Amino acid sequence: LMSRLGAAFARVVHEHRLYAQGTKEDGRSNLQVGLSQFLTFRVEAWIASTPRWKELVLGGFVLVLVVAGGLVLWAVSGDATLGEAVWLAWVYVVDTAAHANAPEGSQRAVALVITVGGMLVFSFLVSILTDNLASLMAALKEGKDQMVLRDHTVLLGWS
């Protein structure tokens, strides 16, 4: 996974260098493009070409939140193993009241940050579910689904 991410990052940096130099590999002239503008375009292109991009972003955010939070918790608490710290970070993400039991000091501050991240995760999850449900309802209203009926009479041209 890390080698794929590294290769993808190297490819994007190489593409940006080609654009920043003002030429493509075939020698044609190109507009000067800054790195932030180039990355914005690449992210927008990925969003446009990935049907379930919201779910992927949410899953990636949860993974980063749990792993990074677990590593920080492991660093600030001297007695927990790495596995226990990652599990505790997961508990802070999914349970908004769990940080109240954290020991005072830096561990409680880290727990609070992870919990706020968990609140963002669940608000994003609710918005994804709402959006998907609204899309489903709109598709049902269009009435383009196949009808599976028996012993019915269809009247055409009736209003």
Side-chain angles (χ1 to χ4, degrees):
L1 177 65
M2 292 305 288
S3 63
R4 282 186 172 173
L5 288 175
F9 181 73
R11 188 175 59 245
V12 167
V13 168
H14 176 69
E15 288 178 27
H16 176 258
R17 282 187 184 149
L18 292 175
Y19 280 95
Q21 292 171 356
T23 59
K24 290 185 178 180
E25 288 176 336
D26 60 3
R28 293 184 305 173
S29 179
N30 215 353
L31 295 174
Q32 294 290 327
V33 177
L35 181 61
S36 65
Q37 189 179 13
F38 183 77
L39 290 176
T40 300
F41 169 75
R42 295 294 296 195
V43 168
E44 289 172 353
W46 178 77
I47 287 171
S49 65
T50 308
R52 309 289 288 188
W53 70 271
K54 294 176 198 171
E55 291 84 351
L56 291 172
V57 169
L58 180 64
F61 182 70
V62 169
L63 184 65
V64 168
L65 186 63
V66 169
V67 171
L71 287 171
V72 173
L73 280 172
W74 181 58
V76 298
S77 78
D79 57 346
T81 66
L82 181 60
E84 291 171 342
V86 170
W87 175 254
L88 195 56
W90 169 251
V91 170
Y92 292 149
V93 168
V94 298
D95 184 5
T96 57
H99 71 282
N101 296 331
E104 295 204 18
S106 57
Q107 193 170 352
R108 184 172 284 182
V110 172
L112 179 64
V113 169
I114 296 171
T115 300
V116 170
M119 290 178 193
L120 292 173
V121 164
F122 282 101
S123 64
F124 192 43
L125 178 63
V126 168
S127 70
I128 290 172
L129 293 174
T130 302
D131 189 38
N132 289 345
L133 185 60
S135 297
L136 175 67
M137 296 306 290
L140 289 174
K141 283 184 182 179
E142 289 179 11
K144 294 184 179 180
D145 289 340
Q146 185 177 1
M147 302 297 286
V148 182
L149 300 173
R150 215 164 122 186
D151 298 329
H152 280 72
T153 304
V154 178
L155 300 174
L156 299 175
W158 182 269
S159 57

